Amino acid sequence: MSTTLAGKKVAILVADGFEQVEMTSPRDALTRAGALVEIVSPVERQVRGWQHTEWGETFAVDHPVVAVEATDYDALVLPGGQMNPDTLRTNAKVVQLVRDFHDAGKPIAAICHGPWLLVEAGIVDGLRLTSYPSIRTDVQNAGGHWQDAEVVEDQRIITSRNPDDLPAFNRATVQAIASSQVPRDLNTTTGAGVPVARARA
């Protein structure tokens, strides 16, 4: 399977307090594979990571979340850290964006506490996935089938438990994006819930 991501565009969605390595490691793996990777956030200009027990580095935000749509990207990455997804899941635009990626059939990769956003978006019912163990009950209460594994893939959603799983998480994410045949500008809104291509001028 080809893992060349030339021409692919990936959004990494974060708020302040994301686990830094869970953003930088997938970002670097995707960039090495040829993808254009952009940081999207409710915070404008810059966002700050978290390293284990203290604040980490700051990173430039490429686009505020209010200015992007799922049709702008080929895939979505959701890093963890406890503060980051807990903040993001209270933002209606963020939750709708996650739902739109799912409805369009585009790959979503979530690690650690990142699956909290999948729960909030209402897309885990019947799904096999993993997460940081402390949110296992949240996943199960939302109908998800939680598994203790370094990476779980189901319906184009890739999940992992913690930073130790990053090598497997990165490989699975790159492969899922490389194999995806969904057009970037696929619209997600139809009456029957079936994705349709957005009309072109």
Side-chain angles (χ1 to χ4, degrees), residues 39-201:
I39 295 177
V40 176
S41 178
V43 180
E44 296 189 18
R45 298 187 180 177
Q46 63 183 26
V47 66
R48 194 172 186 184
W50 184 262
Q51 289 188 293
H52 307 298
T53 59
E54 59 187 25
W55 288 104
E57 300 174 46
T58 57
F59 298 84
V61 172
D62 293 294
H63 301 289
V65 71
V66 294
V68 305
E69 303 294 341
T71 51
D72 298 326
Y73 297 96
D74 297 290
L76 177 66
V77 176
L78 302 173
Q82 187 173 2
M83 288 181 284
N84 163 56
D86 199 33
T87 298
L88 289 174
R89 65 180 176 159
T90 66
N91 185 303
K93 168 64 176 177
V94 165
V95 174
Q96 186 60 52
L97 184 64
V98 174
R99 192 177 294 124
D100 287 346
F101 271 92
H102 174 262
D103 290 348
K106 297 181 178 184
I108 301 174
I111 187 170
C112 192
H113 288 75
W116 251 345
L117 282 164
L118 308 180
V119 170
E120 195 67 33
I123 60 176
V124 304
D125 190 18
L127 192 74
R128 293 182 298 105
L129 71 164
T130 192
S131 68
Y132 196 73
S134 67
I135 67 169
R136 173 179 179 172
T137 300
D138 297 322
V139 169
Q140 292 174 326
N141 286 344
H145 301 294
W146 194 90
Q147 299 180 356
D148 186 12
E150 65 177 0
V151 64
V152 178
E153 299 179 65
D154 193 10
Q155 299 181 30
R156 296 172 297 278
I157 294 179
I158 303 100
T159 52
S160 287
R161 302 166 299 188
N162 56 55
D164 291 340
D165 298 334
L166 278 166
F169 179 74
N170 292 345
R171 285 193 301 270
T173 300
V174 169
Q175 290 172 358
I177 298 171
S179 63
S180 176
Q181 300 299 313
V182 179
R184 180 181 302 166
D185 63 351
L186 191 75
N187 198 339
T188 61
T189 55
T190 68
V194 178
V196 296
R198 181 171 59 182
R200 298 180 185 274

Side-chain angles (χ1 to χ4, degrees), residues 3-6 8 10-12 18-39 51 57 59 62 77 79 166-167 169-171 173-174 177:
T3 54
T4 299
L5 302 185
K8 300 288 187 177
V10 181
I12 298 184
F18 60 92
E19 188 65 44
Q20 186 165 304
V21 71
E22 293 175 359
M23 187 281 283
T24 57
S25 180
R27 178 201 62 185
D28 293 348
L30 291 164
T31 300
R32 285 194 300 270
L36 172 63
V37 183
E38 295 183 336
I39 295 177
Q51 289 188 293
E57 300 174 46
F59 298 84
D62 293 294
V77 176
L166 278 166
F169 179 74
N170 292 345
R171 285 193 301 270
T173 300
V174 169
I177 298 171

